Amino acid sequence: MINNLYLEMIKLYKGEPKRIQHFTKVHSYCQLIGEMEKLNKETMFILETAALVHDIAIKYCEEKYQSHTGDLQEIEGPALAKELLDKLNFDKKVNERVQYLVGHHHTYDNIDGIYYQILVEADFIVNIYEGNKDKQTALYTYEKIFKTECGKQIFRDMFNLEV
């Protein structure tokens, strides 16, 4: 199921390698962190699903609003994720949790659940790099966001942080 979802997301962002590369990297870091944090199979499945579709609303928001800010993605994303996951016959419970994560992945207060935490961490690992953020921004992000041991290690090593 994950591979079919992966291919559908690639098709959705056909001709936009930057977007495809983004969710591919977020998925990879989610998978790595989740495995290192010893998530169970069900939680990993939800995490991987959410990682692949977390930015599903970008294209739609750009067309509808000429913008794809995080708040717009959180508004539009859950319905788009639901539609795609329904099409691919994902379980209702998985679909509902993924919709929640898509609708909150730019909200950093009150992170509830390990898959939410890992999704946010993986997205930040990729976004700090892709946005060419300075070391001060990276350090601030590390201190405010990161909780998992694996996520913290990746972030420290990637951005050469001494904390």
Side-chain angles (χ1 to χ4, degrees), residues 74-130:
E74 287 186 342
I75 291 166
E76 301 292 350
L80 296 169
K82 179 185 185 330
E83 182 180 335
L84 179 57
L85 297 178
D86 280 346
K87 174 183 161 186
L88 296 173
N89 298 312
F90 275 70
D91 177 77
K92 182 180 178 182
K93 179 182 168 190
V94 171
N95 194 329
E96 288 173 354
R97 186 62 184 162
V98 169
Q99 288 174 62
Y100 175 82
L101 294 169
V102 170
H104 291 84
H105 79 280
H106 287 286
T107 302
Y108 310 122
D109 55 347
N110 201 25
I111 292 176
D112 66 338
I114 190 68
Y115 26 54
Y116 188 172
Q117 180 65 42
I118 293 172
L119 177 61
V120 167
E121 289 181 10
D123 203 22
F124 266 109
I125 289 168
V126 177
N127 284 335
I128 294 291
Y129 169 73
E130 289 179 348

Side-chain angles (χ1 to χ4, degrees), residues 21 47 61 74 89 105 108 117 132 136 156:
Q21 289 291 314
L47 175 61
C61 289
E74 287 186 342
N89 298 312
H105 79 280
Y108 310 122
Q117 180 65 42
N132 294 313
Q136 191 63 30
R156 284 192 311 265

Side-chain angles (χ1 to χ4, degrees), residues 32-49:
L32 174 60
I33 296 168
E35 288 177 5
M36 294 305 292
E37 296 293 323
K38 299 184 180 359
L39 299 187
N40 66 41
K41 190 175 178 178
E42 179 183 348
T43 304
M44 278 298 297
F45 186 76
I46 292 168
L47 175 61
E48 287 190 63
T49 302

